[in-house]
Amino acid sequence: MASTAYAAEPPSNAPPRAGVVPPPPPPLASSPLAADLSKLTKPDTREVVDYLKLPPPVKYEELQRESMMSLKPELFEGLRFDFTKPLNQNFQLCHSIFMGNVDVPTQNNQPVKMAMGTYEFGANLVSSKGDMMIGRILTDGRMSARIKYDVNDFVSLKAQMNLASEPGMSHGMLDVDFKGGDWNGQVKLGNNEFYGLNYLQSVTPSLALGGEAFWLGQQRKSGAGFAARHADAAHVATCQVATTGLVSLTYLQKVSEKVSLAADFLWNWNTREANAAFGYDYILRQCRLRGRVDTDGKVAAYLEERVNVGVNFVLSAEIDHWRKDYKFGFGMTVGE
Amino acid sequence: MDEHLGMRPDPLQKHPRRFSKKIKPAVMASDALTYGKTALNKTKSVLWKLAKSTGKAAWITATSGLILLVPLIIEMDREQQLVEFETQQLGALTGGSAAAK
């Protein structure tokens, strides 16, 4: 009888302790600890960042381009008519008429307008490589020219000249752009002994940091600045600080493929003035509508509506509630 | 009599005791009247200022809304009409081809 009792008891390795019954092991698939473990061991789906092969950043002068395009449309007062005629694949002529008022900057912040009626003739020559020459001449004696020439993949030259009939208002600037794998540098030489240089480096796939320095010979002024740009598929945020006392922050959010919202903050340390602006940019198939509200008490809107193929109708409105200055303009743009 | 140039002397100053019993209640009544008048004037000016600032706010809101919102609403409406038109066209094409089959 004793032997059967021994044989019936199942053999166990654990020493039997009085009063302690080990709990049954939980099933593996449903425990929370198992879920965490599986998350840690699952393959990482984020892209591995190769810090030696970062994407090239934008040019330093185009750091704030997206938000500036949304927030600063070319508002005008009066009638504007632009006609662009392509003579060739590479050559275009443009004629432009403007009749309206132009703001004259005054000391005491009162709106002073000057009536202006001009005809502008321009020619654009674009080569298939990307080089271009653009010239404009106006009936009030102003001329402007821009030349862009790519020497090779690494170096590119740009020149810009503005001539005016008043003495001392003409300037010229030569830019030499250097384009590295993940950095952009530029050296600027201008008249009035202006020397400047800037540099922008990609630090991560979305962050670029850089700085600039300039020296103005005639007025013995110099300055340096620091810039940062964080760009994603859905947003662009930039920050620029300069020793001339300007702090500029911009932010643009692409809410959808048709709608962007932008905000801009400018702070002048010397005059202790700050200015913020908020705007929207609707790019629809038939039109492009940009609106903005300012802390200076200005409300502005700019509408470009496609009436026909290549024919756009333009409306511009700006209301300055503080100075009681109302500017409305309309126009037509024919050609691209 | 000490007559000032063209100014009549204050009766209360010259004969204080004779006028005290008759003028005191009259003075108190005129005090209440002036108090009431100034209160009314103050209320009128406050209400006028409130009306003016409400008017200013209404002007600013209306003109800013006209510039910012009205073109947006018009354009969004046009876009929506265009999308509806296109889906209708697409439905007509696919419906027509399905019916033809």
Side-chain angles (χ1 to χ4, degrees):
Chain A
M1 300 309 147
S3 61
T4 50
Y6 271 126
E9 192 178 346
S12 83
N13 287 332
R17 266 182 255 143
V20 174
V21 178
L28 265 175
S30 62
S31 84
L33 179 59
D36 288 339
L37 280 173
S38 68
K39 231 190 275 184
L40 285 171
T41 54
K42 144 180 105 170
D44 202 352
T45 48
R46 288 176 306 169
E47 279 176 29
V48 176
V49 173
D50 185 0
Y51 282 97
L52 296 172
K53 285 204 185 63
L54 290 171
V58 296
K59 293 207 170 111
Y60 194 88
E61 56 219 5
E62 288 176 11
L63 196 81
Q64 299 182 328
R65 190 179 63 105
E66 284 91 357
S67 55
M68 286 304 147
M69 292 257 298
S70 290
L71 280 177
K72 291 199 164 61
E74 287 171 3
L75 302 163
F76 60 94
E77 177 175 21
L79 168 75
R80 206 180 87 177
F81 182 77
D82 291 332
F83 176 58
T84 307
K85 183 162 175 72
L87 294 181
N88 203 344
Q89 210 179 25
N90 302 339
F91 191 56
Q92 283 178 349
L93 291 177
C94 45
H95 310 263
S96 169
I97 287 183
F98 176 71
M99 289 182 282
N101 297 326
V102 164
D103 257 342
V104 171
T106 58
Q107 303 292 85
N108 57 350
N109 220 18
Q110 284 297 311
V112 171
K113 295 188 209 249
M114 194 172 67
M116 195 167 95
T118 53
Y119 164 70
E120 180 187 31
F121 174 71
N124 302 352
L125 180 66
V126 181
S127 87
S128 45
K129 227 171 34 126
D131 307 328
M132 57 183 182
M133 289 171 67
I134 294 175
R136 298 271 183 276
I137 182 162
L138 281 104
T139 48
D140 57 0
R142 281 182 288 159
M143 253 178 72
S144 74
R146 279 193 306 173
I147 300 174
K148 177 172 171 292
Y149 181 64
D150 293 331
V151 174
N152 56 21
D153 265 343
F154 181 63
V155 178
S156 150
L157 296 171
K158 277 199 310 210
Q160 184 174 357
M161 285 151 280
N162 283 313
L163 299 176
S165 50
E166 294 107 36
M169 295 284 280
S170 315
H171 3 267
M173 185 95 77
L174 174 71
D175 300 340
V176 185
D177 290 330
F178 302 100
K179 192 176 163 70
D182 58 357
W183 58 271
N184 279 335
Q186 191 181 56
V187 177
K188 292 168 101 86
L189 309 158
N191 75 336
N192 293 342
E193 294 167 26
F194 175 82
Y195 304 101
L197 68 96
N198 56 49
Y199 179 76
L200 192 62
Q201 164 87 47
S202 266
V203 172
T204 75
S206 52
L207 180 65
L209 302 173
E212 66 174 338
F214 73 89
W215 189 62
L216 198 52
Q218 273 193 0
Q219 297 165 24
R220 294 280 191 271
K221 261 203 277 190
S222 69
F226 165 75
R229 177 185 155 109
H230 186 104
D232 211 345
H235 78 267
V236 175
T238 71
C239 167
Q240 265 189 308
V241 182
T243 56
T244 51
L246 287 172
V247 174
S248 162
L249 306 162
T250 69
Y251 181 74
L252 176 106
Q253 172 88 25
K254 278 205 246 316
V255 174
S256 79
E257 59 179 31
K258 294 181 182 172
V259 182
S260 307
L261 299 173
D264 168 30
F265 178 69
L266 185 69
W267 184 22
N268 194 335
W269 179 272
N270 298 329
T271 59
R272 293 270 190 241
E273 276 175 7
N275 184 351
F278 304 93
Y280 64 81
D281 187 356
Y282 269 70
I283 304 182
L284 306 171
R285 269 177 294 181
Q286 300 282 65
C287 74
R288 179 170 185 184
L289 177 60
R290 285 174 268 186
R292 71 177 261 157
V293 181
D294 218 340
T295 55
D296 282 341
K298 285 199 235 188
V299 170
Y302 191 83
L303 169 69
E304 287 154 304
E305 167 112 23
R306 202 191 83 147
V307 169
N308 212 336
V309 177
V311 178
N312 285 347
F313 181 61
V314 172
L315 284 175
S316 155
E318 187 184 359
I319 298 181
D320 193 340
H321 289 294
W322 198 252
R323 304 191 306 178
K324 301 254 197 300
D325 181 19
Y326 311 114
K327 297 208 282 231
F328 297 96
F330 69 100
M332 204 110 179
T333 307
V334 181
E336 303 97 48
Chain B
M1 299 291 169
D2 48 336
E3 300 274 354
H4 299 277
L5 290 151
M7 273 171 59
R8 288 191 12 220
D10 192 71
L12 207 56
Q13 251 185 2
K14 273 179 70 179
H15 311 282
R17 242 188 287 151
R18 198 200 299 180
F19 286 113
S20 60
K21 284 200 184 121
K22 279 192 198 168
I23 285 185
K24 233 188 192 165
V27 164
M28 279 172 65
S30 79
D31 266 351
L33 194 62
T34 48
Y35 179 76
K37 268 191 187 169
T38 48
L40 190 65
N41 280 335
K42 272 192 188 167
T43 318
K44 271 203 297 190
S45 76
V46 164
L47 281 178
W48 178 240
K49 281 192 187 155
L50 187 66
K52 276 186 86 166
S53 43
T54 310
K56 260 195 202 175
W59 171 256
I60 289 175
T61 317
T63 52
S64 307
L66 190 63
I67 295 292
L68 289 177
L69 298 177
V70 169
L72 187 64
I73 293 173
I74 293 174
E75 291 301 331
M76 279 172 68
D77 201 27
R78 281 185 73 177
E79 179 80 9
Q80 204 178 22
Q81 270 182 7
L82 190 64
V83 166
E84 266 180 38
F85 179 66
E86 279 183 354
T87 51
Q88 197 190 43
Q89 289 280 12
L90 198 62
L93 278 172
T94 53
S97 62
K101 280 185 193 166

